[in-house]
C-alpha cells in the first residue's frame, strides 16, 4: 500500500531495522537522513514515504484497514530513542482546495463518516489534529484507519492534509516540512488511459476523423466517464458485465441528450479492453453521429 516517494529514504529504512538492536542511529555520514543533518548530533522526525501518498482501491463494500501514512523518529542516540515524545500533526483541510487549484484536481476532504481510526500510536484530537505518540523504543508509527467501502462515493476522490506543527523537540526532516497529502479513490477495472479512433459524422459539414487520447475515470462499480467524441463535455459508459453491452449516457446540452443509433449496439471487448461505440445527438440540420473505438493503452 505504501509507496516510497523519495529514494533517499530507502537507506534509512534499512538502517532503522538495525536501530531495533542498537537503539540509535549509527554515527556515519551515510546514515544521515537524506543527507539533511547538519552534524551527527540531531534527532529527526518526518514522513519517510514522502509528502504525497495515494491509495487506490477496487470497488469494495466491506471495511478495509488502510495504513494511510507513517511517521518516523530517527534518534541520534540510545538515550533519545528512549524518550517519550508526542508529535502533533495539524489538520489543514483548506490546503486541499489550494492543491486542487494548483493541480487542476477535484479532491474533497475525506468525511469522518467514511472511516474510523484504528491506530493506537497516531490518534485524533477533538480539533481534528493528530497526536503521534512515540513511546520509549518507538522509531516508526502508522496512522491506520478502517475505511467503509459501502459509504464511499465512487464518483468522488478524497484527501487528507496535515503538517507537523509541534515536533516535540525533534528537528523536522527538510523533505517533511511542507504539507502531507494523502489521497483516496476507487478505481474500477475500466479506469485508465485510452486512445480513441473513429469518425464524427456531421449532417451538413461532413465527416471528420477522431484520433485522440482519453482518460476514463471511475463513475461507479462498472461505469466510467470521459469526454463525448472529440467535442468535450462528459458522457458515462456503463458496462453490463453479464453481456458486455455498454449504455452510453450524457448530454451535449440541456436539450441534446446522447441517444443510441438504431440497429447498433455499444459493447465492451474484454480481450482488447476496448469500448466499441456508436451514439448520436440532435442538432441543427439533423443528427450528429459518433462512431468510435476507445482502446486501453
Amino acid at each position: 500500500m505504501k509507496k516510497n516517494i523519495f529514494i533517499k529514504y530507502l537507506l534509512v529504512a534499512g538502517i532503522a531495522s538495525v536501530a531495533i538492536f542498537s537503539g540509535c542511529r549509527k554515527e556515519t555520514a551515510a546514515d544521515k537522513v537524506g543527507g539533511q543533518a547538519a552534524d551527527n548530533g540531531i534527532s529527526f522526525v518526518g514522513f519517510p514515504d514522502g509528502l504525497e501518498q495515494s491509495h487506490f482501491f477496487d470497488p469494495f463494500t466491506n471495511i478495509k484497514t488502510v495504513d494511510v501514512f507513517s511517521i518516523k523518529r530517527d534518534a541520534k542516540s540510545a538515550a533519545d530513542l528512549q524518550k517519550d515524545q508526542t508529535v502533533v500533526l495539524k489538520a489543514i483541510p483548506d490546503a486541499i482546495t489550494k492543491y486542487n487549484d494548483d493541480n487542476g484536481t477535484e479532491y474533497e476532504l475525506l468525511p469522518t463518516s467514511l472511516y474510523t481510526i484504528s491506530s493506537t500510536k497516531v490518534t485524533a484530537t477533538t480539533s481534528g489534529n493528530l497526536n503521534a505518540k512515540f513511546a520509549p523504543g518507538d522509531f516508526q508509527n502508522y496512522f491506520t484507519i478502517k475505511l467503509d467501502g459501502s459509504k464511499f462515493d465512487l464518483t468522488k476522490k478524497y484527501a487528507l492534509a496535515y503538517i507537523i506543527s509541534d515536533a516535540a523537540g525533534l528537528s523536522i526532516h527538510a523533505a517533511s516540512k511542507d504539507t502531507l497529502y494523502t489521497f483516496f479513490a476507487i478505481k474500477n477495472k475500466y479506469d485508465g488511459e485510452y486512445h480513441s479512433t473513429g469518425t464524427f459524422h456531421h449532417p451538413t459539414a461532413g465527416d471528420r476523423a477522431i484520433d485522440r487520447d482519453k482518460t476514463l475515470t471511475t463513475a461507479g462499480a462498472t461505469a466510467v466517464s470521459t469526454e463525448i467524441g472529440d467535442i468535450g463535455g462528459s458522457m458515462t459508459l456503463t458496462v453490463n458485465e453479464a453481456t458486455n453491452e455498454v449504455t452510453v449516457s450524457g448530454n451535449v446540452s440541456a436539450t441534446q441528450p446522447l441517444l443510441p443509433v438504431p440497429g447498433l449496439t455499444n459493447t465492451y471487448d474484454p480481450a482488447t479492453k476496448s469500448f466499441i461505440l456508436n451514439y448520436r445527438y440532435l442538432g441543427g440540420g439533423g443528427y450528429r453521429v459518433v462512431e468510435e473505438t476507445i482502446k486501453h493503452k
Side-chain angles (χ1 to χ4, degrees):
M1 179 65 68
K2 290 170 280 299
K3 179 176 65 178
N4 283 335
I5 306 298
F6 297 103
I7 300 299
K8 62 187 177 183
Y9 280 132
L10 289 176
L11 178 61
V12 177
I15 292 168
S17 63
V18 177
I20 298 175
F21 302 99
S22 66
C24 62
R25 178 160 49 88
K26 295 295 184 181
E27 298 296 340
T28 66
D31 189 45
K32 297 173 185 176
V33 178
Q36 299 298 333
D39 53 51
N40 287 333
I42 301 174
S43 292
F44 286 102
V45 66
F47 307 112
D49 298 315
L51 289 177
E52 292 188 18
Q53 301 181 35
S54 298
H55 303 278
F56 296 119
F57 311 97
D58 293 329
F60 67 101
T61 57
N62 59 343
I63 305 296
K64 187 181 292 292
T65 301
V66 182
D67 289 337
V68 180
F69 63 84
S70 67
I71 183 168
K72 183 180 178 184
R73 175 174 65 173
D74 186 25
K76 68 180 180 181
S77 64
D80 268 20
L81 188 65
Q82 294 306 308
K83 289 182 179 179
D84 195 328
Q85 295 171 301
T86 299
V87 175
V88 179
L89 309 181
K90 182 181 179 181
I92 44 174
D94 288 347
I96 298 171
T97 301
K98 185 178 185 304
Y99 185 94
N100 288 333
D101 292 342
D102 292 343
N103 296 277
T105 50
E106 296 181 348
Y107 289 103
E108 299 181 16
L109 178 66
L110 182 70
T112 56
S113 59
L114 267 62
Y115 69 96
T116 57
I117 298 174
S118 63
S119 53
T120 58
K121 295 295 181 73
V122 183
T123 58
T125 67
T126 55
S127 63
N129 296 337
L130 299 178
N131 285 338
K133 179 178 174 57
F134 290 91
D138 288 345
F139 65 89
Q140 189 164 3
N141 294 328
Y142 292 91
F143 177 51
T144 304
I145 65 173
K146 291 188 179 297
L147 189 63
D148 190 342
S150 67
K151 297 179 180 178
F152 205 110
D153 186 339
L154 275 67
T155 66
K156 295 182 179 181
K157 297 179 180 180
Y158 299 106
L160 293 171
Y162 299 97
I163 194 167
I164 298 175
S165 60
D166 184 347
L170 300 163
S171 293
I172 303 173
H173 292 163
S176 299
K177 288 184 177 180
D178 209 337
T179 304
L180 168 71
Y181 295 97
T182 59
F183 305 112
F184 306 82
I186 289 181
K187 289 189 174 184
N188 63 32
K189 64 183 181 182
Y190 308 105
D191 192 299
E193 300 301 319
Y194 289 72
H195 188 77
S196 171
T197 56
T199 306
F200 183 97
H201 303 282
H202 193 281
T204 58
D207 295 347
R208 67 171 181 260
I210 298 173
D211 185 3
R212 64 201 294 119
D213 291 334
K214 288 191 173 185
T215 298
L216 275 59
T217 305
T218 297
T222 64
V224 284
S225 61
T226 190
E227 66 175 317
I228 300 169
D230 61 351
I231 65 171
S234 179
M235 65 178 177
T236 300
L237 310 175
T238 304
V239 181
N240 181 332
E241 295 191 327
T243 64
N244 285 322
E245 290 189 7
V246 176
T247 299
V248 180
S249 58
N251 296 277
V252 176
S253 71
T255 59
Q256 294 176 297
L258 298 181
L259 302 168
V261 176
L264 297 177
T265 302
N266 298 306
T267 60
Y268 175 77
D269 182 354
T272 61
K273 296 184 178 180
S274 300
F275 291 85
I276 299 93
L277 307 174
N278 292 272
Y279 52 93
R280 61 181 182 160
Y281 64 94
L282 185 61
Y287 282 101
R288 282 82 166 140
V289 179
V290 180
E291 173 189 353
E292 68 174 329
T293 297
I294 306 174
K295 183 177 181 180
H296 196 280
K297 290 183 177 182

